[in-house]
């Protein structure tokens, strides 16, 4: 039998990960298969023990298990530790090592699609949950000019401010209204919340009335491909980036951790777009 990889999540029915990884194994010529495992939160400890018992070579971890799996792993890489969540596990001869490729996946998609030097840029992050933490951690590690966070529950952004301090990056938390009034201050604006995700496609996380065409506007959502937020930003003449690049890149980086081989990201992107019924992104 070839190597076995998988996804631990709940639910996993709509995941595109099996499609893109199985295609990449076939395309590169690796004898392996990838399966989606729907793991009830009560059984996550057993599922991790199962990875060892069944000699499963590696897996992705998704909602709601990204934090819960951490205590059962043998080693956690620095970025995943800083983010406080794991989305990739590699089984190295029975030792389970945790990584997080979400943040780097986003940063690489921003660099590819916007071709900018992050070091001098001012960022506005909308949201302060798990997704925001992944992205902020990777941005801080890379080095950015300035960080502003706005979140419905302002206190939840405090750990992100602490993280910014560790990286000696100036950071602040502001109210949504203030962010809306000074949108022209930001080079890059990123929605990390689920506001605008299908089926609630008519909502936007904040008003873009004051937006100028100088800002790059990103949304981590990829269903729909263009959220109402991105459609509004496009109307203002902004470069926009949706969540497909991040999804593809996090998958490609996980694949590299497991196999040491680089999958063709363009192939992965096409599979994702075909699944989503879109033609471009
Ligand atoms: P994820 O791991 O996807 O980031 P999360 O950790 O639950 O999920 O975080 C969700 C983020 O979206 C939070 O910043 C949340 O704001 P709160 O911290 O105030 O809960 C934000 N969010 C979700 N739904 C929202 C809504 N309807 N209005 C404003 N913010 C919302």
């Amino acid at each position: 039998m070839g190597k076995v990889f998988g996804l631990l999540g709940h639910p996993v029915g709509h995941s595109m990960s099996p499609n893109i990884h199985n295609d990449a194994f076939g395309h590169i010529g690796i004898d392996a298969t990838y399966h989606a495992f729907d793991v009830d939160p009560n059984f996550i400890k057993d599922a991790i023990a199962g990875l060892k018992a069944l000699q499963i070579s590696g897996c992705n971890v998704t909602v709601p298990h990204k934090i819960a799996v951490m205590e059962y792993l043998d080693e956690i890489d620095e970025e995943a530790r800083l983010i406080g969540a794991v989305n990739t596990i590699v089984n190295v001869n029975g030792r389970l090592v945790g990584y997080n490729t979400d943040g780097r996946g986003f940063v690489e998609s921003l660099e590819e699609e916007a071709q900018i030097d992050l070091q001098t840029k001012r960022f506005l992050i909308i949201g302060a949950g798990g997704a925001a933490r992944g992205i902020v951690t990777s941005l801080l590690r890379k080095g950015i000019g300035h960080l502003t966070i706005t979140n419905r529950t302002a206190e939840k952004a405090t750990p992100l401010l602490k993280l910014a301090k560790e990286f000696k990056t100036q950071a602040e938390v502001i109210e949504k209204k203030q962010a809306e009034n000074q949108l022209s201050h930001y080079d890059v604006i990123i929605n990390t919340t689920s506001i605008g995700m299908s089926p609630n496609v008519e909502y936007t996380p904040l008003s873009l009335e004051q937006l100028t065409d100088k800002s790059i506007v990103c949304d981590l959502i990829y269903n729909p491909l263009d959220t109402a937020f991105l459609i509004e930003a496009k109307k203002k003449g902004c470069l926009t980036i949706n969540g497909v690049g991040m999804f593809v890149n996090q998958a490609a980086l996980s694949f590299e951790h497991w196999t040491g081989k680089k999958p063709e990201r363009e192939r992965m992107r096409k599979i994702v777009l075909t699944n989503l019924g879109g033609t471009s992104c």
Side-chain angles (χ1 to χ4, degrees), residues 9-267:
H10 182 68
V12 292
H14 291 103
S15 172
M16 289 179 282
S17 296
N19 303 17
I20 57 178
H21 288 297
N22 283 321
D23 176 78
F25 288 136
H27 185 243
I28 293 180
I30 296 172
D31 184 14
T33 49
Y34 185 107
H35 304 270
F37 298 108
D38 191 336
V39 180
D40 183 287
N42 292 318
F43 291 111
I44 192 63
K45 182 179 177 185
D46 306 276
I48 297 296
L51 297 179
K52 282 193 189 186
L54 302 175
Q55 297 180 29
I56 288 176
S57 302
C59 63
N60 283 127
V61 184
T62 189
V63 178
H65 304 313
K66 288 185 185 186
I67 298 169
V69 296
M70 293 178 76
E71 64 176 299
Y72 308 118
L73 302 181
D74 298 302
E75 192 182 323
I76 293 174
D77 138 277
E78 196 205 342
E79 187 152 20
R81 190 177 47 74
L82 283 171
I83 292 171
V86 159
N87 81 329
T88 304
I89 298 173
V90 185
N91 187 344
V92 187
N93 303 321
R95 274 181 67 73
L96 299 181
V97 186
Y99 298 88
N100 193 314
T101 63
D102 287 331
R104 252 183 74 203
F106 172 77
V107 171
E108 289 186 10
S109 115
L110 179 61
E111 287 177 323
E112 283 155 18
E113 296 181 47
Q115 307 272 327
I116 52 167
D117 171 18
L118 304 183
Q119 316 264 329
T120 59
K121 297 294 181 281
R122 299 176 67 88
F123 283 76
L124 172 65
I125 309 288
I126 308 162
R133 192 171 173 93
I135 281 167
V136 165
T137 304
S138 299
L139 285 171
L140 290 170
R141 275 166 66 93
K142 191 94 193 174
I144 57 170
H146 188 274
L147 176 67
T148 301
I149 301 153
T150 186
N151 191 44
R152 175 175 62 183
T153 317
E155 313 85 80
K156 286 204 195 154
T158 307
L160 296 179
L161 285 184
K162 282 198 188 130
L163 198 61
K165 207 167 174 189
E166 278 179 40
F167 283 89
K168 301 188 172 41
T169 303
Q170 281 199 337
E172 60 180 352
V173 178
I174 63 174
E175 291 288 325
K176 176 172 152 177
K177 198 90 221 126
Q178 192 183 344
E180 288 173 339
N181 288 337
Q182 57 185 43
L183 285 179
S184 61
H185 290 198
Y186 306 110
D187 301 298
V188 186
I189 299 168
I190 308 168
N191 174 37
T192 72
T193 75
S194 53
I195 302 168
M197 190 187 286
S198 179
N200 302 310
V201 296
E202 68 273 34
Y203 296 104
T204 59
L206 50 74
S207 160
L208 292 179
E209 218 169 330
Q210 303 293 325
L211 188 69
T212 70
D213 63 3
K214 308 267 180 310
S215 302
I216 296 165
V217 180
C218 313
D219 203 322
L220 303 195
I221 295 169
Y222 52 78
N223 188 10
L225 285 173
D226 276 334
T227 55
F229 190 57
L230 292 192
I231 291 170
E232 212 174 315
K234 269 187 186 162
K235 281 191 193 143
K236 295 272 185 179
C238 296
L239 173 67
T240 63
I241 298 177
N242 65 26
V244 172
M246 174 177 172
F247 179 72
V248 166
N249 291 343
Q250 63 78 29
L253 292 166
S254 296
F255 192 95
E256 285 173 44
H257 278 303
W258 297 325
T259 65
K261 301 246 182 333
K262 286 184 191 291
E264 268 185 35
R265 295 188 187 197
E266 206 40 50
R267 260 182 98 86

